[in-house]
Amino acid sequence: MDVSADTLRSLHRTMLTIRLFEQRVAREFRTGEIPGFVHMYIGEEAVAAGICANLRDDDYVTSTHRGHGHCIAKGCELDAMMAEIYGREDGLCKGRGGSMHIADFSRGMLGANAIVGGGIALATGAGLAATVRGTDQVAVAFFGDGAANQGVLHESLNLAAIWRLPVIYVCENNGFAESTPAAYATSVADVASRAAGYGIPGTIADGRDVLEVLAAARDAVARARAGEGPTLLEVKTYRFMGHFEGDPEKYRDDEERKELTANDALGSLEARILADGHASEADLDALRGEIEAAVDHAVEFARASAFPDPSTIERYVYPEQVAQ
Amino acid sequence: MAVATERSLSMVNAVGEAMRQAMEADPTVIVMGEDVVGGAGRGGSKENAMGGSFGATKSLYPLFGGTRVRDTPISEAGFVGAGVGAAAAGLRPVVDAMWADFTGLAFDQIYNQAGKMSYMFGGQVRLPLTIRVAMGSGLSAAAQHSGTLYAIYTHLPGIKVVVPSTPYDAKGLLLEAIFDDSPVLFFEHLKLYVAKGPVPQDPYRIPLGVAEVRRAGSDVTIVAIAAMVGRALEAAELLAGEGISVEVIDPRTLSPLDEETILGSVERTGGLVVVDESPPHCSVASEIAAVVGEKAFDSLNGPVRRVTAPHTPVPFSPSLEEAYAPSVQAIVDAVRTIC
């Protein structure tokens, strides 16, 4: 695929930001300072980066419990994201949501979602809103292979198909629904093949190659913007870490992990950028340093932010309480 | 109070008029649900064959067309969830889920998504979604087409619950619900659909959380919900013949609940009977009883009485169904135990 140097560098920046952000979250999580639990996106960066590179600020995404990567790719600020993960007042959701419920409506990021498949119908509705308003906005529903077996996906695919809604259903097939292999839980080898049941295109991209994801998403987004309806896009990917931080991962196969992590999309992209002369080792080191500094800043920002005042526990249940 | 008007409408036409006027006022209002058009896509006279299972949406499709008035497949999770997402993305959808009992199929979309988004996201999002459902026993519609379920939704933070008992209230409350920025469950009782009452033509709104005193009295307070308001008024009339003065309060919305009006009444009368056509466990009747027990205990001259359905699904056979919803006699009997 023919892509510009700027595009390659932009994809790389997004993927590296996700990687470094997630590595830091994992590290800080082990200190006990981050409440609750976190689900790392490491290994899957090419999906969020490749898809969201085709989106505008006014397009919508719905995300999953493993949502940090989608937030970053959709343009959320690292400081406010990290503060949310730390449960602080300066977080994107003022500490009311946490890692599994980060949202930034100003960026069209309609929320990470801790119900498997929970965002799928919402993205369908966001696509409906665009259709009713007559705009060319699109909506992307990110979900995992686990959600591929939720009824709401099937209801949503059907609804989007009959109404030709501008929605891209992106299945991030990372091989496991928590510990249950997709190969066991899913009746077909490729989730994308289920698109045939709804008369819509079902395409597959290799999540080890961000350019393949980019190209597949470009086609699907173009279709959606042109009013030609939804696409089910399955990206074969692999999560390098556990379902959640602290997962003993006894269901994993070391050989399989070794093989799949060896084909890291981020590493492949860096190799290509270097080989094509779009950046030097020094440039990449400088970029890494810049992002590490931004992540450091985000952690400092989060730590310096106050916890929400307990007297505000009832605020935000209803919108009229926002102004209080 | 109903303002003076010559015009009478049924509740089903009153809610239809509210939707029409909301759509005229605001292009982001859309209506979708099963059979809200009927014969969708068939064209000609076959299209708009239903206008809703009970005819409430009949006037909408010819006026606003298929972009804003949409028949959905029978897939409640999908289309209620799409309503949630459309609301989050700036529309004001009015979703017809047909029967309260069917909302179970979309419960995650209502409970985990719509109801929690404002809070989880720190107040970033408004969710102006209205879900209309029919409810209530009395038509031998049997166990899966008769439940009230408003107690379930009253339990949920982030959701508002409306239970009109007159055509006038139905129109004003539905207009308010559509333009409210929270998800609202709007319950329309089947037994109240046909009876006509005064309804002004112009749009008007009734705020959520304001009860209506349907009959003033001094000896005992009855709080009655939806179709039970009429039975409470009948009971009050009978009791008046025995010299018992009954105040009848229609809360009109269960979430928010107008506690002030209820407590103020009980403080004057010293007695409370709550009439609720639902199973009693964790019911709205129980909630109102608890509120009064906590906040007006010293005013009570006797125990609070709940007059509810039995703790069963709604039965089919008319002989059983007749025994399901609280009767006028049961209300009278309950009042007599404390007066």
Side-chain angles (χ1 to χ4, degrees):
Chain A
M1 184 190 176
D2 199 23
V3 292
S4 71
D6 281 350
T7 301
L8 288 171
R9 283 193 290 258
S10 171
L11 289 167
H12 175 245
R13 173 184 281 272
T14 303
M15 289 170 66
L16 186 60
T17 304
I18 297 171
R19 175 71 53 97
L20 297 176
F21 184 92
E22 291 290 66
Q23 285 176 341
R24 186 66 184 271
V25 169
R27 202 172 91 205
E28 298 302 333
F29 183 77
R30 288 191 281 273
T31 70
E33 213 178 337
I34 293 174
F37 36 92
V38 290
H39 305 78
M40 298 290 91
Y41 197 65
I42 294 170
E44 306 183 31
E45 296 91 343
V47 192
I51 303 286
C52 292
N54 293 284
L55 302 182
R56 305 187 309 234
D57 272 357
D58 68 341
D59 290 324
Y60 299 105
V61 303
T62 63
S63 173
T64 70
H65 55 286
R66 199 177 306 287
H68 304 168
H70 307 134
C71 290
I72 291 170
K74 197 67 177 63
C76 298
E77 300 291 339
L78 300 190
D79 288 359
M81 275 184 69
M82 195 67 90
E84 188 58 37
I85 291 165
Y86 272 76
R88 306 300 172 105
E89 186 66 34
D90 294 317
L92 276 171
C93 305
K94 300 185 168 62
R96 272 67 175 179
S99 167
M100 291 193 288
H101 305 295
I102 303 184
D104 185 351
F105 281 68
S106 70
R107 305 271 173 176
M109 167 56 193
L110 305 186
N113 208 306
I115 302 298
V116 168
I120 295 170
L122 306 183
T124 307
L128 173 62
T131 299
V132 170
R133 282 194 295 256
T135 69
D136 69 345
Q137 292 163 286
V138 303
V140 172
F142 288 103
F143 57 95
D145 47 281
N149 300 317
Q150 286 280 27
V152 73
L153 171 65
H154 297 267
E155 295 191 20
S156 298
L157 290 175
N158 182 63
L159 198 62
I162 66 164
W163 288 349
R164 297 169 77 86
L165 298 179
V167 185
I168 301 96
Y169 296 90
V170 178
C171 178
E172 302 179 302
N173 187 344
N174 66 18
F176 291 95
E178 189 156 357
S179 72
T180 303
Y184 165 83
T186 309
S187 63
V188 288
D190 300 317
V191 171
S193 69
R194 289 180 169 172
Y198 302 98
I200 64 171
T203 53
I204 299 173
D206 184 346
R208 292 169 300 187
D209 181 356
V210 67
L211 299 183
E212 196 174 317
V213 179
L214 181 79
R218 182 173 293 169
D219 292 347
V221 169
R223 249 179 69 76
R225 286 210 203 285
E228 291 166 18
T231 300
L232 174 57
L233 169 55
E234 177 182 11
V235 184
K236 307 280 192 186
T237 183
Y238 194 74
R239 70 168 144 79
F240 290 5
M241 303 181 76
H243 167 64
F244 54 90
E245 270 305 282
D247 179 358
E249 299 182 71
K250 289 180 179 166
Y251 50 87
R252 294 269 212 186
D253 177 327
D254 281 345
E255 281 307 303
E256 163 199 274
R257 192 198 329 238
K258 210 176 287 175
E259 184 190 323
L260 286 159
T261 55
N263 291 302
D264 179 10
L266 178 58
S268 305
L269 181 62
E270 288 186 348
R272 171 163 176 174
I273 286 172
L274 289 170
D276 290 356
H278 297 316
S280 65
E281 290 276 9
D283 293 336
L284 295 189
D285 286 346
L287 178 64
R288 178 177 286 267
E290 180 198 324
I291 296 170
E292 279 172 349
V295 173
D296 282 346
H297 187 273
V299 171
E300 284 162 25
F301 176 85
R303 284 186 178 140
S305 174
F307 283 103
D309 182 340
S311 72
T312 65
I313 191 168
E314 293 185 356
R315 196 175 292 174
Y316 306 123
V317 177
Y318 298 99
E320 50 267 35
Q321 297 165 320
V322 172
Q324 284 173 359
Chain B
M1 293 296 288
V3 301
T5 174
E6 295 303 308
R7 198 179 66 139
S8 267
L9 276 188
S10 66
M11 185 183 283
V12 73
N13 287 332
V15 297
E17 186 166 271
M19 285 184 278
R20 179 168 60 72
Q21 291 178 342
M23 293 184 81
E24 283 165 354
D26 184 342
T28 68
V29 177
I30 64 166
V31 169
M32 61 182 183
E34 293 151 349
D35 299 308
V36 297
V37 179
R42 299 213 73 190
S45 63
K46 294 191 182 71
E47 213 154 52
N48 205 32
M50 294 273 289
S53 292
F54 310 102
T57 49
K58 187 83 178 171
S59 72
L60 305 180
Y61 181 77
L63 286 171
F64 304 106
T67 298
R68 294 176 65 197
V69 186
R70 289 172 178 260
D71 267 340
T72 63
I74 301 176
S75 56
E76 284 83 358
F79 73 75
V80 172
V84 179
L91 298 189
R92 291 189 179 275
V94 182
V95 176
D96 186 337
M98 205 181 276
W99 295 89
D101 289 307
F102 298 175
T103 62
L105 291 150
F107 194 61
D108 182 68
Q109 308 302 326
I110 303 170
Y111 160 65
N112 267 319
Q113 310 301 336
K116 295 179 181 173
M117 284 172 86
S118 176
Y119 193 81
M120 283 193 304
F121 300 152
Q124 283 183 73
V125 61
R126 292 158 188 265
L127 215 83
L129 169 70
T130 303
I131 300 173
R132 291 179 48 240
V133 290
M135 66 159 180
S137 63
L139 296 176
S140 283
Q144 293 171 345
H145 285 66
S146 302
T148 57
L149 265 83
Y150 45 67
I152 305 264
Y153 294 102
T154 301
H155 179 70
L156 304 178
I159 305 281
K160 296 182 180 179
V161 176
V162 181
V163 284
S165 73
T166 68
Y168 177 88
D169 282 359
K171 177 176 170 179
L173 290 167
L174 183 54
L175 272 163
E176 181 72 10
I178 292 170
F179 291 104
D180 191 280
D181 284 334
S182 293
V184 179
L185 269 284
F186 195 91
F187 291 86
E188 299 162 16
H189 199 293
L190 254 298
K191 293 286 276 184
L192 301 174
Y193 255 163
V194 180
K196 290 187 174 180
V199 178
Q201 192 130 21
D202 288 342
Y204 59 93
R205 298 189 198 174
I206 298 171
L208 308 185
V210 180
E212 177 83 0
V213 177
R214 297 286 175 201
R215 178 185 177 117
S218 55
D219 296 332
V220 63
T221 300
I222 298 180
V223 177
I225 299 163
M228 296 301 101
V229 173
R231 293 195 182 180
L233 289 169
E234 280 184 56
E237 191 61 32
L238 289 174
L239 288 159
E242 300 174 16
I244 299 174
S245 170
V246 178
E247 182 144 300
V248 177
I249 295 176
D250 174 359
R252 304 200 288 193
T253 69
L254 303 176
S255 181
L257 179 68
D258 182 355
E259 293 186 5
E260 199 183 326
T261 297
I262 295 169
L263 291 168
S265 174
V266 172
E267 280 159 13
R268 282 186 291 101
T269 64
L272 176 67
V273 174
V274 191
V275 190
D276 181 356
E277 179 192 335
S278 309
H281 299 184
C282 293
S283 61
V284 172
S286 300
E287 172 64 15
I288 292 171
V291 166
V292 169
E294 240 172 24
K295 299 182 181 176
F297 184 76
D298 292 341
S299 302
L300 290 169
N301 299 322
V304 172
R305 296 294 184 204
R306 292 176 299 160
V307 185
T308 69
H311 204 66
T312 68
V314 180
F316 166 66
S317 177
S319 67
L320 294 172
E321 195 187 28
E322 179 64 26
Y324 181 81
S327 64
V328 172
Q329 190 58 50
I331 300 168
V332 167
D333 291 346
V335 169
R336 283 188 184 133
T337 66
I338 56 172
C339 282

